[in-house]
Amino acid sequence: DAGVIQSPRHEVTEMGQEVTLRCKPISGHNSLFWYRQTMMRGLELLIYFNNNVPIDDSGMPEDRFSAKMPNASFSTLKIQPSEPRDSAVYFCASSLGAGMNYGYTFGSGTRLTVV
Amino acid sequence: AQSVTQLGSHVSVSEGALVLLRCNYSSSVPPYLFWYVQYPNQGLQLLLKYTSAATLVKGINGFEAEFKKSETSFHLTKPSAHMSDAAEYFCAVYTGKLIFGQGTTLQVKP
């Protein structure tokens, strides 16, 4: 199993540009999660999906952020327009079921720098 | 609301010494608790999990954790630190989703 695959690994963009982060969950996992990691705020859950349906997006910071999961094997997190304060490492994770028994499997992350 | 608090943002030990990373939880119901490790420039990797089957949980790389309800604690230990254990460690509680503590950076000195 290739694990959770995120792309790109690094992204540098200018303020105001649109950024799209991509995630391929583990095959067979039916829950997908997007986290953001910063020094100041630690690991924050932005949104999670179950069976491709968004369940809880209360962690999405503002309307500039949006996430989609068009099918069981692909999800995107989009920031439009991007701002310097969005600079962070963004992780995607997936789990089988709710995740209480097995935890989540994380991807390697996308390091986003907005200049 | 359920949460976890990690005591000490930075812990330093000598190689071969005992590793003790502290985590306390707040929960009104029996919690599901996890420890994850993050090596530099990598994602989080599951070390071990407590799901009420046994209070002493053994994980990968020689780590273990003991669930103590009376102390609302789930501390992570390893008898003898290796240089390769240097990383950031996160305690997490499942509340319908995984909520992480602030993390503890473990430094291992030769």
Side-chain angles (χ1 to χ4, degrees), chain A residues 42-59:
Chain A
L43 274 162
E44 303 172 276
L45 177 64
L46 301 178
I47 185 171
Y48 76 91
F49 295 84
N50 183 254
N51 293 323
N52 312 337
V53 176
I55 302 300
D56 183 352
D57 65 355
S58 60

mmCIF file of all heavy atoms in Angstrom, chain A residues 42-59:
data_model
loop_
_atom_site.group_PDB
_atom_site.id
_atom_site.type_symbol
_atom_site.label_atom_id
_atom_site.label_comp_id
_atom_site.label_asym_id
_atom_site.label_seq_id
_atom_site.Cartn_x
_atom_site.Cartn_y
_atom_site.Cartn_z
ATOM 1 N N GLY A 42 -0.344 24.769 16.305
ATOM 2 C CA GLY A 42 -0.242 23.310 16.330
ATOM 3 C C GLY A 42 -1.026 22.677 15.194
ATOM 4 O O GLY A 42 -1.135 23.238 14.106
ATOM 5 N N LEU A 43 -1.592 21.503 15.458
ATOM 6 C CA LEU A 43 -2.357 20.758 14.462
ATOM 7 C C LEU A 43 -3.835 21.090 14.598
ATOM 8 O O LEU A 43 -4.450 20.837 15.631
ATOM 9 C CB LEU A 43 -2.172 19.257 14.670
ATOM 10 C CG LEU A 43 -0.979 18.618 14.003
ATOM 11 C CD1 LEU A 43 -0.675 17.278 14.640
ATOM 12 C CD2 LEU A 43 -1.210 18.446 12.512
ATOM 13 N N GLU A 44 -4.394 21.629 13.542
ATOM 14 C CA GLU A 44 -5.812 22.001 13.540
ATOM 15 C C GLU A 44 -6.540 21.192 12.479
ATOM 16 O O GLU A 44 -6.090 21.126 11.331
ATOM 17 C CB GLU A 44 -5.988 23.473 13.169
ATOM 18 C CG GLU A 44 -5.272 24.480 14.026
ATOM 19 C CD GLU A 44 -5.405 25.857 13.404
ATOM 20 O OE1 GLU A 44 -4.601 26.189 12.506
ATOM 21 O OE2 GLU A 44 -6.300 26.611 13.822
ATOM 22 N N LEU A 45 -7.672 20.630 12.849
ATOM 23 C CA LEU A 45 -8.507 19.930 11.881
ATOM 24 C C LEU A 45 -9.322 20.961 11.120
ATOM 25 O O LEU A 45 -10.054 21.753 11.718
ATOM 26 C CB LEU A 45 -9.432 18.947 12.578
ATOM 27 C CG LEU A 45 -10.405 18.197 11.684
ATOM 28 C CD1 LEU A 45 -9.654 17.304 10.698
ATOM 29 C CD2 LEU A 45 -11.368 17.362 12.519
ATOM 30 N N LEU A 46 -9.194 20.958 9.805
ATOM 31 C CA LEU A 46 -9.916 21.930 8.981
ATOM 32 C C LEU A 46 -11.287 21.387 8.567
ATOM 33 O O LEU A 46 -12.299 22.066 8.712
ATOM 34 C CB LEU A 46 -9.092 22.265 7.735
ATOM 35 C CG LEU A 46 -7.712 22.852 7.972
ATOM 36 C CD1 LEU A 46 -6.992 23.086 6.647
ATOM 37 C CD2 LEU A 46 -7.808 24.133 8.770
ATOM 38 N N ILE A 47 -11.287 20.167 8.046
ATOM 39 C CA ILE A 47 -12.519 19.585 7.525
ATOM 40 C C ILE A 47 -12.344 18.080 7.432
ATOM 41 O O ILE A 47 -11.210 17.592 7.305
ATOM 42 C CB ILE A 47 -12.850 20.160 6.126
ATOM 43 C CG1 ILE A 47 -14.205 19.653 5.612
ATOM 44 C CG2 ILE A 47 -11.739 19.854 5.131
ATOM 45 C CD1 ILE A 47 -14.677 20.356 4.333
ATOM 46 N N TYR A 48 -13.466 17.352 7.568
ATOM 47 C CA TYR A 48 -13.357 15.940 7.269
ATOM 48 C C TYR A 48 -14.575 15.429 6.519
ATOM 49 O O TYR A 48 -15.674 16.000 6.612
ATOM 50 C CB TYR A 48 -13.052 15.099 8.504
ATOM 51 C CG TYR A 48 -14.173 14.840 9.473
ATOM 52 C CD1 TYR A 48 -14.992 13.715 9.353
ATOM 53 C CD2 TYR A 48 -14.365 15.672 10.562
ATOM 54 C CE1 TYR A 48 -15.977 13.456 10.275
ATOM 55 C CE2 TYR A 48 -15.344 15.414 11.487
ATOM 56 C CZ TYR A 48 -16.151 14.307 11.348
ATOM 57 O OH TYR A 48 -17.135 14.039 12.274
ATOM 58 N N PHE A 49 -14.325 14.397 5.740
ATOM 59 C CA PHE A 49 -15.320 13.779 4.878
ATOM 60 C C PHE A 49 -15.549 12.332 5.326
ATOM 61 O O PHE A 49 -14.628 11.659 5.761
ATOM 62 C CB PHE A 49 -14.819 13.735 3.428
ATOM 63 C CG PHE A 49 -14.619 15.063 2.785
ATOM 64 C CD1 PHE A 49 -13.441 15.779 2.971
ATOM 65 C CD2 PHE A 49 -15.594 15.616 1.963
ATOM 66 C CE1 PHE A 49 -13.232 17.003 2.366
ATOM 67 C CE2 PHE A 49 -15.406 16.836 1.345
ATOM 68 C CZ PHE A 49 -14.220 17.530 1.549
ATOM 69 N N ASN A 50 -16.772 11.893 5.170
ATOM 70 C CA ASN A 50 -17.089 10.482 5.346
ATOM 71 C C ASN A 50 -17.873 10.028 4.128
ATOM 72 O O ASN A 50 -18.888 10.649 3.786
ATOM 73 C CB ASN A 50 -17.891 10.245 6.631
ATOM 74 C CG ASN A 50 -18.159 8.777 6.874
ATOM 75 O OD1 ASN A 50 -19.266 8.288 6.698
ATOM 76 N ND2 ASN A 50 -17.134 8.054 7.271
ATOM 77 N N ASN A 51 -17.378 8.976 3.470
ATOM 78 C CA ASN A 51 -18.010 8.509 2.232
ATOM 79 C C ASN A 51 -18.199 9.656 1.241
ATOM 80 O O ASN A 51 -19.266 9.812 0.640
ATOM 81 C CB ASN A 51 -19.337 7.816 2.522
ATOM 82 C CG ASN A 51 -19.138 6.528 3.285
ATOM 83 O OD1 ASN A 51 -18.173 5.796 3.058
ATOM 84 N ND2 ASN A 51 -20.047 6.230 4.201
ATOM 85 N N ASN A 52 -17.167 10.491 1.120
ATOM 86 C CA ASN A 52 -17.085 11.592 0.165
ATOM 87 C C ASN A 52 -17.951 12.796 0.534
ATOM 88 O O ASN A 52 -18.001 13.771 -0.213
ATOM 89 C CB ASN A 52 -17.443 11.153 -1.267
ATOM 90 C CG ASN A 52 -16.744 9.892 -1.689
ATOM 91 O OD1 ASN A 52 -15.695 9.539 -1.157
ATOM 92 N ND2 ASN A 52 -17.329 9.176 -2.627
ATOM 93 N N VAL A 53 -18.646 12.741 1.639
ATOM 94 C CA VAL A 53 -19.537 13.825 2.039
ATOM 95 C C VAL A 53 -18.877 14.632 3.159
ATOM 96 O O VAL A 53 -18.415 14.045 4.144
ATOM 97 C CB VAL A 53 -20.892 13.267 2.524
ATOM 98 C CG1 VAL A 53 -21.779 14.390 3.037
ATOM 99 C CG2 VAL A 53 -21.574 12.488 1.411
ATOM 100 N N PRO A 54 -18.838 15.965 3.030
ATOM 101 C CA PRO A 54 -18.267 16.762 4.122
ATOM 102 C C PRO A 54 -19.135 16.658 5.376
ATOM 103 O O PRO A 54 -20.341 16.897 5.316
ATOM 104 C CB PRO A 54 -18.241 18.183 3.551
ATOM 105 C CG PRO A 54 -19.253 18.179 2.456
ATOM 106 C CD PRO A 54 -19.283 16.805 1.910
ATOM 107 N N ILE A 55 -18.524 16.304 6.485
ATOM 108 C CA ILE A 55 -19.261 16.104 7.732
ATOM 109 C C ILE A 55 -19.098 17.295 8.668
ATOM 110 O O ILE A 55 -20.048 17.724 9.317
ATOM 111 C CB ILE A 55 -18.781 14.820 8.446
ATOM 112 C CG1 ILE A 55 -18.954 13.604 7.530
ATOM 113 C CG2 ILE A 55 -19.520 14.628 9.764
ATOM 114 C CD1 ILE A 55 -20.388 13.343 7.093
ATOM 115 N N ASP A 56 -17.892 17.799 8.754
ATOM 116 C CA ASP A 56 -17.620 18.880 9.696
ATOM 117 C C ASP A 56 -16.571 19.793 9.079
ATOM 118 O O ASP A 56 -15.433 19.383 8.888
ATOM 119 C CB ASP A 56 -17.123 18.310 11.023
ATOM 120 C CG ASP A 56 -16.890 19.383 12.085
ATOM 121 O OD1 ASP A 56 -16.957 20.592 11.761
ATOM 122 O OD2 ASP A 56 -16.620 19.014 13.246
ATOM 123 N N ASP A 57 -16.978 21.010 8.751
ATOM 124 C CA ASP A 57 -16.031 21.983 8.192
ATOM 125 C C ASP A 57 -15.852 23.166 9.141
ATOM 126 O O ASP A 57 -15.450 24.253 8.720
ATOM 127 C CB ASP A 57 -16.464 22.452 6.813
ATOM 128 C CG ASP A 57 -17.777 23.230 6.848
ATOM 129 O OD1 ASP A 57 -18.379 23.319 7.938
ATOM 130 O OD2 ASP A 57 -18.179 23.748 5.794
ATOM 131 N N SER A 58 -16.124 22.939 10.395
ATOM 132 C CA SER A 58 -16.069 24.037 11.358
ATOM 133 C C SER A 58 -14.653 24.579 11.558
ATOM 134 O O SER A 58 -14.483 25.685 12.056
ATOM 135 C CB SER A 58 -16.647 23.587 12.707
ATOM 136 O OG SER A 58 -15.910 22.494 13.215
ATOM 137 N N GLY A 59 -13.663 23.822 11.161
ATOM 138 C CA GLY A 59 -12.297 24.274 11.310
ATOM 139 C C GLY A 59 -11.765 25.065 10.133
ATOM 140 O O GLY A 59 -10.658 25.618 10.202
#
